[in-house]
Amino acid sequence: MKKLSLPPVVGRLLACLAGGVVLAMMVGTQQGSQQDYGLSFREAVLDVRIVWFLLLGLLVFVVITYKDLVTPYLQRPGVRPLVAGVLVLIASFFLLTWYDPLSDGKFGAFADAVTGTPQIAPLARAFFGWLWLVGLIGVPVLIAVAIVLRVRVLAWVAAVVAVVVGVLAVVADSTAGDFAGGIDHSFGSVVALLGFLVLAFAAGVVARSTKEVATPTEFLERVMAYRPGLPLVVVGLVLGLLSLTGATWLAPTGDNLTLVDTSALFEGSDLDGLSAAVLGWLAYVLLVVVLAAAGAAVWLRSKPLGLAAAGLAVVSVLLVLITLHGISSTAAEAGYGSGDGPWQNLGTGGWVLCIGLFLIGAGAVVAALQDVLPATAAVSSDAAPVTGSGRLHAAARSTTGRSLALFAVGLALFYPPTANQFWQQSLTTTIGVYVLLAVGLNVVIGWAGLLDLGFIAFYAIGSYTTAYLTGSLPVQPPSWLLLSPLWAIPVAILICLIAGVLLGAPTLRLRGDYLAIVTLGFGEIIRIVAVNNPGEFTNGPRGVATPVPHPVIDLGFIRIEWGNSSLQYWYLLLILLAIVLIFFYRLEGSRLGRSWAAVREDEVAAQATGVNTTRVKLLAFAIGASTSGLAGVFFGSQVGYFNPQNFVLNNSILIVAYVVFGGMGSLVGAIAGAAALTWLPEFLRDQVPAEDRTMWIGAVLLVMMIFRPQGLIPARRRKAELTGLAGHDGSVRPGIQAVPASEGT
Amino acid sequence: MTTATTTPAGKAPADELVFDVRGITLRFGGVTSLNDVSLQMRRGEILAVIGPNGAGKTSLFNSLTGVYTPQEGEVLVAARSGDEPVSVLGKKTHVVNHLGVARTFQNIRLFSALTALENVKVGIETRQKSGPISAMLGLPWQRREEKDSTAKAYQLLDRVGLAGRANELAGSLAYGEQRRLEIARALGTGPGVILLDEPAAGTNPVEKRELAALIQQINADGVAVLLIEHDMKLVMSVAHRILVLNFGQRIAEGTPEQIQRDPAVVAAYLGTSEEDAETELATHDQPELQRIDLSGDPLHEASTTEQSEGSGATAAGEKGGPA
């Protein structure tokens, strides 16, 4: 039979249209039944929306086919962020949930509900009625016109409008949400704000660009290198002002008290003087003082000033925290609100002020660190001396990295208290624990290059060790070994280390796929042993017999007891994570870190250079395993109950996916990957039907591996591997495209 | 067959042996890669191993460094002055390296995603003591070792002429630079003897001259050099003695002058009988091997010195690619 061959154009068209149909089916409901498997197909194909998706496929086809014609336009300054911003906005307005207590809380349904309710503030109704269209269509058109006609003023106007509408989106959404009440996990307005900020960025690129062809990165670099730390200070200032003016400081049921209200409320109460002062006037003074010091440091690029500002910021944050403690405990004593102790009934205001002050201080730190830069930036060779723009490039890049890292730290410290119960719970039990596990597995997979598909087994060993040591298993430990969870940490780490060595010693002569299979088997063995309950040790599939106790630190004069609040565990986790990160960061740059890289790159050469590859690989296994032992202790004592179902193979594979997704071999990448991929299912919970979640996560992984195989934040060493030599100087795109090109012909 | 050995030009005591290889035989299934090969390498000498492709040179290297274990024979090594001779057989590669035997590879095997500096540091640090815990805690002696290894790595890079490229990724270096970086990495382990497997392959004439100087300099620092090389000009200019292998057997050993006049060697390279080779030798005044392209297979004849230099470089260049 003659092979049927289509002209490539036709094939591409069909593929694009088929992609549209697949997407249409993914977006629709997936529920079928045994009698009716075709439900989702009919839903997708017989509905009007199929036309939209086919048009989308057609658009992709046109873009691919006429790529050469399109590319010059895409390279015009600001076009790419414009496209990205519009896409984000479309997603936020049509796909995302804005208010999930409504059963169908997508933007459209929510907007109908809001516009039909006259009691809601007019501004919110205006936004949901027509203002959003101005943002979605007006701003992009304005920017497009500015690009075509090269009118700078227009671009500035568009930028301002974009920011205003973006802020309005959040304000209107929260106003309407407050009015309706109920627990709301939706992200629509935040994503919309993000989209508008991207549009504003695009407008900024258009307005500031002098060149015919420009990349957004250049603009971003110029912004970041202009005054290092300035963006952080600006964001901090905005947050600080928000908290001092509009945000809620105390929010017992039915009340939303701003800073002024709160101050008035506590007038004449027995609130301590310091807290009263902060509420009354000191908060403003603190913000102004820290801002002045940090602003001066950033503007003058002064190191001593920067450190002084950072110190001031820390003191201010502490004062705010004392105040928060003061007002919440006073309110609880007075029986005001539902709280029975400190830290309850607090609004977001105090925490937002903390974030703001922290970010301003962080900006000052970035400015202070700036003078360290040239030494690190000038590492390039004599052959290629660092040019002015190259130095700018390097400086901007490290500034950007530092700024982002400090921003993340600020959020990690002060955002969780403002989140609702659901997110606090997710942050600790899923996101936090898996971040810790991913950091551990990163040692094995990312640094030493050993594919371990049974990593969850060490986590199980850590958890069961904790349960045993705290007397939660049917078999009780001898009384001298009965430990509190925190004391169990070193023992669990040690046991996991030993388990790592025991698994590693006989198997590490295996390479690649074979090692993966053996570790996979190991993971299953540990789980099945736990299920089989040998010697009544593990209590079988029912899990631990009595709950693992919460950790307690009792130093006599001070007693910290972890209870049922997720928040307390979050801070414990942050401390553990910080310690692990510092240790691992040092390891990566040490002799052992280089040996790992050497073994990963070329084991034969590493041996010939005198590296004891067996020992090095065993250490990778042991150190990785000990991290998951730590995670096991944390997990065990936090949830109290666990059973073998927590340690299934699927979880091992997920951790591998987190590490790969984040960027193998990169500490920050492992954190980002695990955080993103554990956050995503929780996020999708309110956006798509429950049974579709895995599919969307799969789609995200797929897209990621096609377009960014090196991961979210690739390690320098790994990046070099994946992008090949050509991509080393960043002038050539990742080599992934170059490979099939030669084979296709 | 075995030529009486002469005293090398080196300064070290002549009676001390770095390598004492006694009749090793290495088989892979039915194929005999090395057949009863013996070799005595003295401290402080530059010994070259030559032979047509497939003669067993790299197999010999692998047998000396613990990668392969010959079925018969014995390999004793006393790399550093005053060492007791120790058998290499059955020892792991990294253990042999710790005995003071460093090597480079025919097809470059650098850690290409590490920088040049890091590559050398890997070599240096295999001799250091500090473990993971001191690294995690950043203890003083670990920091001192780290500083030491960086300083030493810069020295070594400077020595092979790569000081300016220290922070480049090894994979992005030029071919000749990668070869020199491999040598620097090997020297980082502080060897008493260094085995260089075709260090000049794929390098240009200028780089070859620099390489010859580098080899002589390494040797002058008291490191014995065992060299596999196809470039006869390089071999003849640096080697104190030469060992010739063909089809896994030792066919000759001696000074460069002796080897150039050895009919068995010429026969091996020209693929003719020994008698023809002798007459060939008699009709020419200049040493024969200078005129023969030794980079090709024995059946392939090349003619003049000029050609052999040019084509030798390209042929080796092609071969030296990812094999």
PDB file of all heavy atoms in Angstrom, chain A residues 246-272:
ATOM      1  N   GLY A 246      -5.667  51.863  53.989  1.00  0.00           N
ATOM      2  CA  GLY A 246      -6.889  51.130  53.682  1.00  0.00           C
ATOM      3  C   GLY A 246      -7.057  49.793  54.375  1.00  0.00           C
ATOM      4  O   GLY A 246      -8.180  49.338  54.612  1.00  0.00           O
ATOM      5  N   ALA A 247      -5.945  49.140  54.701  1.00  0.00           N
ATOM      6  CA  ALA A 247      -6.053  47.729  55.097  1.00  0.00           C
ATOM      7  C   ALA A 247      -6.647  47.572  56.493  1.00  0.00           C
ATOM      8  O   ALA A 247      -6.594  48.473  57.317  1.00  0.00           O
ATOM      9  CB  ALA A 247      -4.689  47.077  55.048  1.00  0.00           C
ATOM     10  N   THR A 248      -7.173  46.387  56.727  1.00  0.00           N
ATOM     11  CA  THR A 248      -7.806  46.070  57.995  1.00  0.00           C
ATOM     12  C   THR A 248      -6.754  45.610  59.000  1.00  0.00           C
ATOM     13  O   THR A 248      -5.968  44.727  58.701  1.00  0.00           O
ATOM     14  CB  THR A 248      -8.780  44.914  57.788  1.00  0.00           C
ATOM     15  OG1 THR A 248      -9.600  45.238  56.684  1.00  0.00           O
ATOM     16  CG2 THR A 248      -9.619  44.683  59.003  1.00  0.00           C
ATOM     17  N   TRP A 249      -6.742  46.207  60.180  1.00  0.00           N
ATOM     18  CA  TRP A 249      -5.769  45.786  61.188  1.00  0.00           C
ATOM     19  C   TRP A 249      -6.359  44.794  62.171  1.00  0.00           C
ATOM     20  O   TRP A 249      -5.681  43.926  62.680  1.00  0.00           O
ATOM     21  CB  TRP A 249      -5.202  47.008  61.924  1.00  0.00           C
ATOM     22  CG  TRP A 249      -4.096  47.634  61.152  1.00  0.00           C
ATOM     23  CD1 TRP A 249      -4.187  48.191  59.918  1.00  0.00           C
ATOM     24  CD2 TRP A 249      -2.729  47.730  61.532  1.00  0.00           C
ATOM     25  NE1 TRP A 249      -2.970  48.632  59.496  1.00  0.00           N
ATOM     26  CE2 TRP A 249      -2.037  48.371  60.478  1.00  0.00           C
ATOM     27  CE3 TRP A 249      -2.005  47.363  62.668  1.00  0.00           C
ATOM     28  CZ2 TRP A 249      -0.681  48.629  60.524  1.00  0.00           C
ATOM     29  CZ3 TRP A 249      -0.648  47.633  62.710  1.00  0.00           C
ATOM     30  CH2 TRP A 249       0.007  48.259  61.648  1.00  0.00           C
ATOM     31  N   LEU A 250      -7.645  45.001  62.476  1.00  0.00           N
ATOM     32  CA  LEU A 250      -8.279  44.088  63.416  1.00  0.00           C
ATOM     33  C   LEU A 250      -9.612  43.696  62.793  1.00  0.00           C
ATOM     34  O   LEU A 250     -10.373  44.560  62.370  1.00  0.00           O
ATOM     35  CB  LEU A 250      -8.492  44.791  64.757  1.00  0.00           C
ATOM     36  CG  LEU A 250      -8.836  43.896  65.941  1.00  0.00           C
ATOM     37  CD1 LEU A 250      -7.712  42.924  66.230  1.00  0.00           C
ATOM     38  CD2 LEU A 250      -9.126  44.740  67.158  1.00  0.00           C
ATOM     39  N   ALA A 251      -9.861  42.399  62.704  1.00  0.00           N
ATOM     40  CA  ALA A 251     -11.055  41.975  61.994  1.00  0.00           C
ATOM     41  C   ALA A 251     -11.815  40.897  62.739  1.00  0.00           C
ATOM     42  O   ALA A 251     -11.880  39.768  62.307  1.00  0.00           O
ATOM     43  CB  ALA A 251     -10.689  41.498  60.599  1.00  0.00           C
ATOM     44  N   PRO A 252     -12.385  41.249  63.917  1.00  0.00           N
ATOM     45  CA  PRO A 252     -13.272  40.269  64.525  1.00  0.00           C
ATOM     46  C   PRO A 252     -14.536  40.177  63.669  1.00  0.00           C
ATOM     47  O   PRO A 252     -14.799  41.076  62.876  1.00  0.00           O
ATOM     48  CB  PRO A 252     -13.585  40.868  65.903  1.00  0.00           C
ATOM     49  CG  PRO A 252     -13.050  42.229  65.904  1.00  0.00           C
ATOM     50  CD  PRO A 252     -12.394  42.522  64.607  1.00  0.00           C
ATOM     51  N   THR A 253     -15.284  39.110  63.848  1.00  0.00           N
ATOM     52  CA  THR A 253     -16.422  38.883  62.964  1.00  0.00           C
ATOM     53  C   THR A 253     -17.281  40.144  62.840  1.00  0.00           C
ATOM     54  O   THR A 253     -17.680  40.741  63.839  1.00  0.00           O
ATOM     55  CB  THR A 253     -17.282  37.741  63.535  1.00  0.00           C
ATOM     56  OG1 THR A 253     -16.417  36.825  64.190  1.00  0.00           O
ATOM     57  CG2 THR A 253     -18.053  37.060  62.451  1.00  0.00           C
ATOM     58  N   GLY A 254     -17.545  40.525  61.640  1.00  0.00           N
ATOM     59  CA  GLY A 254     -18.453  41.636  61.421  1.00  0.00           C
ATOM     60  C   GLY A 254     -17.791  42.995  61.429  1.00  0.00           C
ATOM     61  O   GLY A 254     -18.415  43.985  61.100  1.00  0.00           O
ATOM     62  N   ASP A 255     -16.528  43.056  61.822  1.00  0.00           N
ATOM     63  CA  ASP A 255     -15.844  44.352  61.871  1.00  0.00           C
ATOM     64  C   ASP A 255     -14.602  44.331  60.996  1.00  0.00           C
ATOM     65  O   ASP A 255     -13.890  43.332  60.944  1.00  0.00           O
ATOM     66  CB  ASP A 255     -15.412  44.648  63.311  1.00  0.00           C
ATOM     67  CG  ASP A 255     -16.461  45.453  64.035  1.00  0.00           C
ATOM     68  OD1 ASP A 255     -17.142  46.243  63.352  1.00  0.00           O
ATOM     69  OD2 ASP A 255     -16.579  45.276  65.256  1.00  0.00           O
ATOM     70  N   ASN A 256     -14.338  45.429  60.324  1.00  0.00           N
ATOM     71  CA  ASN A 256     -13.083  45.576  59.600  1.00  0.00           C
ATOM     72  C   ASN A 256     -12.481  46.910  59.989  1.00  0.00           C
ATOM     73  O   ASN A 256     -12.888  47.952  59.483  1.00  0.00           O
ATOM     74  CB  ASN A 256     -13.316  45.528  58.084  1.00  0.00           C
ATOM     75  CG  ASN A 256     -13.633  44.129  57.624  1.00  0.00           C
ATOM     76  OD1 ASN A 256     -12.998  43.182  58.053  1.00  0.00           O
ATOM     77  ND2 ASN A 256     -14.617  44.004  56.760  1.00  0.00           N
ATOM     78  N   LEU A 257     -11.541  46.871  60.913  1.00  0.00           N
ATOM     79  CA  LEU A 257     -11.025  48.124  61.444  1.00  0.00           C
ATOM     80  C   LEU A 257      -9.686  48.472  60.816  1.00  0.00           C
ATOM     81  O   LEU A 257      -8.748  47.674  60.855  1.00  0.00           O
ATOM     82  CB  LEU A 257     -10.848  48.000  62.966  1.00  0.00           C
ATOM     83  CG  LEU A 257     -12.109  47.599  63.743  1.00  0.00           C
ATOM     84  CD1 LEU A 257     -11.786  47.431  65.214  1.00  0.00           C
ATOM     85  CD2 LEU A 257     -13.209  48.617  63.540  1.00  0.00           C
ATOM     86  N   THR A 258      -9.594  49.655  60.255  1.00  0.00           N
ATOM     87  CA  THR A 258      -8.320  50.112  59.710  1.00  0.00           C
ATOM     88  C   THR A 258      -7.434  50.567  60.868  1.00  0.00           C
ATOM     89  O   THR A 258      -7.849  50.537  62.033  1.00  0.00           O
ATOM     90  CB  THR A 258      -8.524  51.276  58.736  1.00  0.00           C
ATOM     91  OG1 THR A 258      -9.140  52.343  59.458  1.00  0.00           O
ATOM     92  CG2 THR A 258      -9.389  50.866  57.572  1.00  0.00           C
ATOM     93  N   LEU A 259      -6.262  51.044  60.551  1.00  0.00           N
ATOM     94  CA  LEU A 259      -5.310  51.445  61.582  1.00  0.00           C
ATOM     95  C   LEU A 259      -5.927  52.530  62.469  1.00  0.00           C
ATOM     96  O   LEU A 259      -5.848  52.465  63.700  1.00  0.00           O
ATOM     97  CB  LEU A 259      -4.020  51.944  60.927  1.00  0.00           C
ATOM     98  CG  LEU A 259      -2.931  52.375  61.885  1.00  0.00           C
ATOM     99  CD1 LEU A 259      -2.474  51.222  62.731  1.00  0.00           C
ATOM    100  CD2 LEU A 259      -1.762  52.960  61.119  1.00  0.00           C
ATOM    101  N   VAL A 260      -6.554  53.517  61.840  1.00  0.00           N
ATOM    102  CA  VAL A 260      -7.138  54.626  62.601  1.00  0.00           C
ATOM    103  C   VAL A 260      -8.256  54.104  63.504  1.00  0.00           C
ATOM    104  O   VAL A 260      -8.309  54.417  64.700  1.00  0.00           O
ATOM    105  CB  VAL A 260      -7.676  55.695  61.630  1.00  0.00           C
ATOM    106  CG1 VAL A 260      -8.278  56.851  62.424  1.00  0.00           C
ATOM    107  CG2 VAL A 260      -6.563  56.196  60.731  1.00  0.00           C
ATOM    108  N   ASP A 261      -9.113  53.247  62.929  1.00  0.00           N
ATOM    109  CA  ASP A 261     -10.205  52.667  63.724  1.00  0.00           C
ATOM    110  C   ASP A 261      -9.665  51.897  64.905  1.00  0.00           C
ATOM    111  O   ASP A 261     -10.161  52.016  66.036  1.00  0.00           O
ATOM    112  CB  ASP A 261     -11.054  51.711  62.866  1.00  0.00           C
ATOM    113  CG  ASP A 261     -11.682  52.429  61.694  1.00  0.00           C
ATOM    114  OD1 ASP A 261     -11.810  53.660  61.767  1.00  0.00           O
ATOM    115  OD2 ASP A 261     -12.023  51.747  60.700  1.00  0.00           O
ATOM    116  N   THR A 262      -8.661  51.099  64.639  1.00  0.00           N
ATOM    117  CA  THR A 262      -8.090  50.272  65.698  1.00  0.00           C
ATOM    118  C   THR A 262      -7.530  51.148  66.802  1.00  0.00           C
ATOM    119  O   THR A 262      -7.725  50.888  67.992  1.00  0.00           O
ATOM    120  CB  THR A 262      -6.974  49.382  65.129  1.00  0.00           C
ATOM    121  OG1 THR A 262      -7.421  48.821  63.911  1.00  0.00           O
ATOM    122  CG2 THR A 262      -6.618  48.266  66.084  1.00  0.00           C
ATOM    123  N   SER A 263      -6.818  52.184  66.385  1.00  0.00           N
ATOM    124  CA  SER A 263      -6.235  53.094  67.360  1.00  0.00           C
ATOM    125  C   SER A 263      -7.336  53.698  68.224  1.00  0.00           C
ATOM    126  O   SER A 263      -7.213  53.772  69.457  1.00  0.00           O
ATOM    127  CB  SER A 263      -5.458  54.190  66.635  1.00  0.00           C
ATOM    128  OG  SER A 263      -4.944  55.103  67.548  1.00  0.00           O
ATOM    129  N   ALA A 264      -8.431  54.092  67.588  1.00  0.00           N
ATOM    130  CA  ALA A 264      -9.553  54.692  68.328  1.00  0.00           C
ATOM    131  C   ALA A 264     -10.160  53.671  69.283  1.00  0.00           C
ATOM    132  O   ALA A 264     -10.522  53.979  70.409  1.00  0.00           O
ATOM    133  CB  ALA A 264     -10.603  55.206  67.346  1.00  0.00           C
ATOM    134  N   LEU A 265     -10.260  52.422  68.788  1.00  0.00           N
ATOM    135  CA  LEU A 265     -10.880  51.369  69.594  1.00  0.00           C
ATOM    136  C   LEU A 265     -10.126  51.143  70.898  1.00  0.00           C
ATOM    137  O   LEU A 265     -10.728  50.929  71.946  1.00  0.00           O
ATOM    138  CB  LEU A 265     -10.913  50.073  68.785  1.00  0.00           C
ATOM    139  CG  LEU A 265     -11.510  48.868  69.501  1.00  0.00           C
ATOM    140  CD1 LEU A 265     -13.007  49.019  69.626  1.00  0.00           C
ATOM    141  CD2 LEU A 265     -11.162  47.587  68.767  1.00  0.00           C
ATOM    142  N   PHE A 266      -8.790  51.208  70.809  1.00  0.00           N
ATOM    143  CA  PHE A 266      -8.003  50.862  71.994  1.00  0.00           C
ATOM    144  C   PHE A 266      -7.728  52.073  72.870  1.00  0.00           C
ATOM    145  O   PHE A 266      -7.031  51.971  73.864  1.00  0.00           O
ATOM    146  CB  PHE A 266      -6.682  50.198  71.578  1.00  0.00           C
ATOM    147  CG  PHE A 266      -6.863  48.767  71.199  1.00  0.00           C
ATOM    148  CD1 PHE A 266      -7.022  48.406  69.875  1.00  0.00           C
ATOM    149  CD2 PHE A 266      -6.916  47.791  72.172  1.00  0.00           C
ATOM    150  CE1 PHE A 266      -7.206  47.101  69.521  1.00  0.00           C
ATOM    151  CE2 PHE A 266      -7.114  46.482  71.825  1.00  0.00           C
ATOM    152  CZ  PHE A 266      -7.254  46.121  70.494  1.00  0.00           C
ATOM    153  N   GLU A 267      -8.247  53.207  72.503  1.00  0.00           N
ATOM    154  CA  GLU A 267      -8.051  54.394  73.332  1.00  0.00           C
ATOM    155  C   GLU A 267      -8.683  54.144  74.697  1.00  0.00           C
ATOM    156  O   GLU A 267      -9.855  53.754  74.796  1.00  0.00           O
ATOM    157  CB  GLU A 267      -8.695  55.609  72.678  1.00  0.00           C
ATOM    158  CG  GLU A 267      -8.003  56.888  73.076  1.00  0.00           C
ATOM    159  CD  GLU A 267      -7.914  57.840  71.890  1.00  0.00           C
ATOM    160  OE1 GLU A 267      -7.374  57.439  70.836  1.00  0.00           O
ATOM    161  OE2 GLU A 267      -8.408  58.936  72.027  1.00  0.00           O
ATOM    162  N   GLY A 268      -7.894  54.352  75.726  1.00  0.00           N
ATOM    163  CA  GLY A 268      -8.439  54.163  77.075  1.00  0.00           C
ATOM    164  C   GLY A 268      -8.415  52.731  77.550  1.00  0.00           C
ATOM    165  O   GLY A 268      -8.750  52.467  78.701  1.00  0.00           O
ATOM    166  N   SER A 269      -8.017  51.783  76.691  1.00  0.00           N
ATOM    167  CA  SER A 269      -7.933  50.395  77.146  1.00  0.00           C
ATOM    168  C   SER A 269      -6.601  50.195  77.849  1.00  0.00           C
ATOM    169  O   SER A 269      -5.763  51.109  77.906  1.00  0.00           O
ATOM    170  CB  SER A 269      -8.059  49.439  75.977  1.00  0.00           C
ATOM    171  OG  SER A 269      -6.879  49.515  75.207  1.00  0.00           O
ATOM    172  N   ASP A 270      -6.383  49.004  78.390  1.00  0.00           N
ATOM    173  CA  ASP A 270      -5.116  48.779  79.081  1.00  0.00           C
ATOM    174  C   ASP A 270      -4.047  48.242  78.127  1.00  0.00           C
ATOM    175  O   ASP A 270      -3.230  47.415  78.486  1.00  0.00           O
ATOM    176  CB  ASP A 270      -5.311  47.839  80.273  1.00  0.00           C
ATOM    177  CG  ASP A 270      -5.997  46.555  79.857  1.00  0.00           C
ATOM    178  OD1 ASP A 270      -6.445  46.501  78.689  1.00  0.00           O
ATOM    179  OD2 ASP A 270      -6.082  45.634  80.690  1.00  0.00           O
ATOM    180  N   LEU A 271      -4.075  48.695  76.870  1.00  0.00           N
ATOM    181  CA  LEU A 271      -3.035  48.332  75.902  1.00  0.00           C
ATOM    182  C   LEU A 271      -1.722  48.975  76.322  1.00  0.00           C
ATOM    183  O   LEU A 271      -1.702  50.111  76.780  1.00  0.00           O
ATOM    184  CB  LEU A 271      -3.452  48.833  74.514  1.00  0.00           C
ATOM    185  CG  LEU A 271      -2.577  48.446  73.351  1.00  0.00           C
ATOM    186  CD1 LEU A 271      -2.648  46.946  73.129  1.00  0.00           C
ATOM    187  CD2 LEU A 271      -3.010  49.183  72.100  1.00  0.00           C
ATOM    188  N   ASP A 272      -0.623  48.226  76.164  1.00  0.00           N
ATOM    189  CA  ASP A 272       0.666  48.778  76.583  1.00  0.00           C
ATOM    190  C   ASP A 272       1.035  50.006  75.765  1.00  0.00           C
ATOM    191  O   ASP A 272       0.566  50.180  74.634  1.00  0.00           O
ATOM    192  CB  ASP A 272       1.762  47.712  76.484  1.00  0.00           C
ATOM    193  CG  ASP A 272       1.912  47.195  75.097  1.00  0.00           C
ATOM    194  OD1 ASP A 272       0.937  46.578  74.589  1.00  0.00           O
ATOM    195  OD2 ASP A 272       2.971  47.408  74.488  1.00  0.00           O
TER     196      ASP A 272
END
